[in-house]
Amino acid sequence: MNLNKLKIISIIGARPQFIKASPIELAFSKYPNVDFYSIHTGQHYDTNMSEIFFNQLKLKQPYKTLESGGKSHGKQTADILVGIEELLLEIKPNLIIVYGDTNSTIGAALAAAKLHIPIAHIEAGLRSFNKQMPEEVNRILTDHISDLLFVPSENAVSQLASEGITKQVFLCGDVMKDIMKICLDQNIIPDNNNKNYYYTTIHRPYNTDDKERLISILNTLNALDKKVIFSIHPRTLNLLKNTYQVELNFNNIEFIEPQGYFDNLAYLKNCDCVITDSGGMQKEAYWLQKKCITIRKETEWSETLENGCNTLVFDNLNEIENILKTENLQFDNTLYGTANASEIIAESIIDFIKNSSSTKTN
Ligand code: UD1
Ligand code: UDP
């Protein structure tokens, strides 16, 4: 056994986390003294919500995959907490990495905190200020039990400071920018030959859990001046088909299954506007200099709202039509960093582990 090897576990489970973890895994692969493991909580499990990202982004197979998918919030979070605790006791890592704000994030962070295993939180300091969102609760709690906080923006640094968190906060930019740049630079995004359409994803509970709300969103999209290509999240599809018993025949909307990362970027790159309630897609739209309309009352990615690059629409869906007409948007290509967040994160984590073990032995 090599006693100097550092063991780091990356906790993944939901679609955006496979994407966020990929540049991190790549950054750690440059350190031969690190044993990098990932654990999949099983929160997302369909091929197009999980496996496709392992294949496309060449992620290492997880050390173990738990079965937490399709459960209520309490059961899912509890199962992740129990499952991750067992694995942490078995692997005894020096640190775990958690991403974003899902039930996988908080379940794993809680397990580590109770075992006194240091936690690095990637995408720390973001707030929507809406505690009705499960994600808001998850991200606040995770920030407050994390040892290293990697933040994408100055606003996130200030937010953490206002909550009393000032130590081990690293302004590093956003890891999603890293992986997007890697893929664009490698020229691996397919040309889907689609043009003249709006690209949509909708999955948040406040847009999907009420039948009338979801139908009014679909009717609005159906009445737009260009075709809408709608990558449909399994949550939304299940509700429409099974719970609401609604046929997917809206003549202006082309529903497509959840896309792999490369095809999704192709749809983003070629569209005329992104209409979404996704966190990740708001950022990707911005970096690709696409106008974005976010079907939400608030966004934790508030910087994207500047200069009208992203616009929030919630109650009055008819506003969408007018926003689609705005032109000449100015994007800031340094928003959320310069696509080297993963390298900063890997280096800072290794320094932290080394410093804390030398403090312990002194
Ligand atoms: C979760 C995250 C959300 C994130 C989103 C990314 C929480 C609280 N929410 O929301 O922050 O934006 O992932 O996509 O962690 N389902 C399938 N197959 C799958 C995955 C899900 O059928 O592979 C269905 C199941 O019926 C499940 C439902 O979708 O009950 C919702 O999945 P869940 O992971 O609970 O929440 P998301 O809406 O995906
Ligand atoms: N995404 C994808 N295929 C799709 C829709 C989204 O690969 O069909 C990617 C998208 O590029 C982004 C991430 O998934 O990187 C966003 O995940 P999601 O919208 O599920 O969650 P959120 O970001 O809202 O938490």
Side-chain angles (χ1 to χ4, degrees), residues 14-16 43-47 49-50 69-71 73 76 101-104 134-135 138 203-205 233-236 238 279:
R15 172 167 68 187
Q43 180 168 350
H44 287 173
Y45 45 89
D46 291 346
T47 307
M49 294 297 285
S50 172
K71 298 180 181 170
H73 284 281
Q76 181 166 70
D101 51 24
T102 70
N103 290 343
S104 297
E135 294 86 356
N138 292 343
H203 71 275
R204 299 267 164 223
H233 189 287
R235 175 196 196 94
T236 314
N238 289 344

Side-chain angles (χ1 to χ4, degrees), residues 63 88 157 190 201 221 224 253 256 262 314 320:
Y63 178 84
L88 296 183
V157 177
T201 69
L221 298 175
L224 296 180
I253 307 178
I256 56 173
F262 299 158
F314 195 76
I320 291 177

Side-chain angles (χ1 to χ4, degrees), residues 149-220:
L149 298 103
F150 293 103
V151 304
S153 65
E154 291 283 0
N155 283 342
V157 177
S158 309
Q159 181 57 36
L160 289 176
S162 76
E163 295 176 23
I165 303 173
T166 52
K167 293 200 179 119
Q168 303 286 8
V169 174
F170 299 84
L171 178 59
C172 60
D174 193 300
V175 291
M176 287 187 129
K177 194 167 189 179
D178 298 15
I179 186 60
M180 197 178 91
K181 181 170 188 303
I182 291 169
C183 295
L184 293 177
D185 286 354
Q186 288 176 355
N187 231 351
I188 45 181
I189 308 307
D191 190 358
N192 63 14
N193 291 322
N194 262 298
K195 293 272 167 336
N196 223 17
Y197 64 94
Y198 305 129
Y199 190 46
T200 291
T201 69
I202 297 287
H203 71 275
R204 299 267 164 223
Y206 43 62
N207 285 329
T208 57
D209 284 2
D210 177 72
K211 180 178 176 181
E212 260 181 54
R213 168 81 190 160
L214 183 53
I215 299 293
S216 69
I217 292 174
L218 292 174
N219 284 336
T220 306

